[in-house]
Amino acid sequence: MSKPRILVQLDTDDQPSVFDSVVAIDADVAHLLRHHGITPKNVVERVHGAIFTRGPDELRNTALFVGGSDVELGEQVLAAVQKAFIGPLRCSVMMDSNGANTTAAAAVLAAAKHLELSGLKATVLAATGPVGQRVAWLLARAGAEVRAASRTLPKAAKVAQALSAKSLSGRVIPCASSTPEELQAALADSALVVAAGAAGIELLPASALSAASQLKVAIDLNAVPPLGISSIKVTDKAAERDGRICYGAIGIGGAKMKIHKAAIQALFETNDRVLDAAEIYEIGRGL
Ligand code: NAP
């Protein structure tokens, strides 16, 4: 008889995320072990606790989930987790700090329902945040030419350089978007815009949206008023507005939840999966 499925939640915050715990339970995990205050240093002991308790053939029923609000720290913890594995003594691990990977995957998959990503011209507003960076990377990985926008060009350039260092079929071009003229130039050729700005910050006013004549799909990931794209409703899910397909943050949220749940379930297929942005996107593609 196979062992029950255990998910070890490794959260970098002071309290483990309730959201991540609920999704884990809804993904049919038998036991959820919730750890908080996780760092790249103290995670090693937790990983050893997970891998030294079941034989290699049973370790596919133990998995790890790295979460918390600090995405950079989550990336460091994910690296430390992989370093702590010992040969076949390992288990599958997923990283979704602040929901960045599942949200970005859901946004890009929504765009892909309406547009061919290879060769697509796209603009990601606030491409410097954890979600925006992942959206820009997933689009460029699929062959899109992505304008990565920020309030400041040096910040956009730094992100574009980092993303371009990974293997891409398309490319990432930095641009500024703080003045109306810069915003217009950033959107001029694009068929897709994804607004990935901080909660409660409007990035794209209605006038700038209507001036972007090539835009076919507009996606806003900010659910907190004022919304990132003012003329989109937060619940829009492929809603047609002025000849464009629009998604709001809640409209993207359903797919994000499905991807998150499916990724947790995929952790228990083998003991060697590492689910980061690309792998989570591929799981979403298969749904
Ligand atoms: P973030 O790090 O808080 O901010 C992203 C970018 O927004 C920043 O890099 C910055 O870009 C820009 N920004 C910050 N403050 C600003 C201001 N006052 N004015 C103009 N721009 C400002 O965001 P994130 O964590 O990547 O998340 C992106 C969005 O996705 C958020 O709205 C978040 O709530 C949402 N989200 C939704 C879910 C979900 O489950 N539905 C999950 C995760 C995130 P520049 O400095 O380069 O301009």
Side-chain angles (χ1 to χ4, degrees):
M1 207 173 94
S2 67
K3 300 267 192 201
R5 289 179 171 186
I6 296 174
L7 186 70
V8 185
Q9 187 177 347
L10 301 166
D11 200 302
T12 56
D13 289 349
D14 291 344
Q15 293 291 330
S17 155
V18 171
F19 180 100
D20 291 338
S21 301
V22 172
V23 181
I25 289 163
D26 284 351
D28 296 330
V29 163
H31 301 281
L32 180 65
L33 312 182
R34 305 171 76 227
H35 294 253
H36 59 93
I38 294 297
T39 66
K41 199 167 171 215
N42 71 19
V43 79
V44 175
E45 189 190 326
R46 270 70 169 207
V47 174
H48 287 170
I51 64 175
F52 289 146
T53 39
R54 290 174 162 183
D57 52 332
E58 292 166 337
L59 277 175
R60 72 181 176 84
N61 289 314
T62 304
L64 309 174
F65 178 91
V66 178
S69 57
D70 186 333
V71 182
E72 270 184 39
L73 186 55
E75 285 168 350
Q76 292 165 25
V77 168
L78 177 65
V81 164
Q82 292 176 82
K83 235 173 126 185
F85 292 147
I86 301 166
L89 294 181
R90 57 176 297 144
C91 47
S92 290
V93 56
M94 167 177 177
M95 201 292 270
D96 195 31
S97 296
N98 218 23
N101 281 332
T102 47
T103 303
V108 175
L109 286 162
K113 278 190 187 157
H114 310 283
L115 300 165
E116 171 60 48
L117 299 186
S118 179
L120 174 72
K121 293 198 172 174
T123 301
V124 181
L125 299 174
T128 52
V131 176
Q133 287 187 41
R134 283 163 172 78
V135 169
W137 181 65
L138 289 171
L139 286 168
R141 178 180 169 267
E145 184 177 293
V146 183
R147 295 200 181 275
S150 162
R151 284 171 294 178
T152 59
L153 190 54
K155 202 170 163 188
K158 199 172 162 197
V159 164
Q161 193 182 18
L163 298 181
S164 303
K166 305 183 186 188
S167 73
L168 300 176
S169 314
R171 60 193 186 122
V172 182
I173 305 153
C175 64
S177 61
S178 57
T179 67
E181 296 74 26
E182 286 171 344
L183 190 55
Q184 198 178 346
L187 292 168
D189 301 331
S190 290
L192 168 69
V193 64
V194 180
I201 302 292
E202 183 187 290
L203 295 178
L204 189 50
S207 55
L209 184 65
S210 30
S213 59
Q214 302 301 309
L215 267 189
K216 294 188 171 65
V217 178
I219 299 174
D220 183 16
L221 299 176
N222 163 24
V224 180
L227 301 179
I229 302 179
S230 63
S231 39
I232 286 184
K233 285 211 165 120
V234 72
T235 49
D236 277 354
K237 188 177 171 187
E240 202 175 319
R241 298 189 182 280
D242 296 328
R244 299 190 180 93
I245 304 287
C246 298
Y247 286 84
I250 293 177
I252 292 290
K256 176 212 150 47
M257 293 298 298
K258 275 192 199 142
I259 295 167
H260 188 153
K261 208 167 126 181
I264 298 274
Q265 287 166 339
L267 288 172
F268 297 98
E269 287 166 4
T270 61
N271 73 330
D272 58 358
R273 297 198 71 173
V274 177
L275 304 185
D276 205 343
E279 297 79 13
I280 290 170
Y281 177 76
E282 293 306 329
I283 287 169
R285 243 162 53 111
L287 293 177

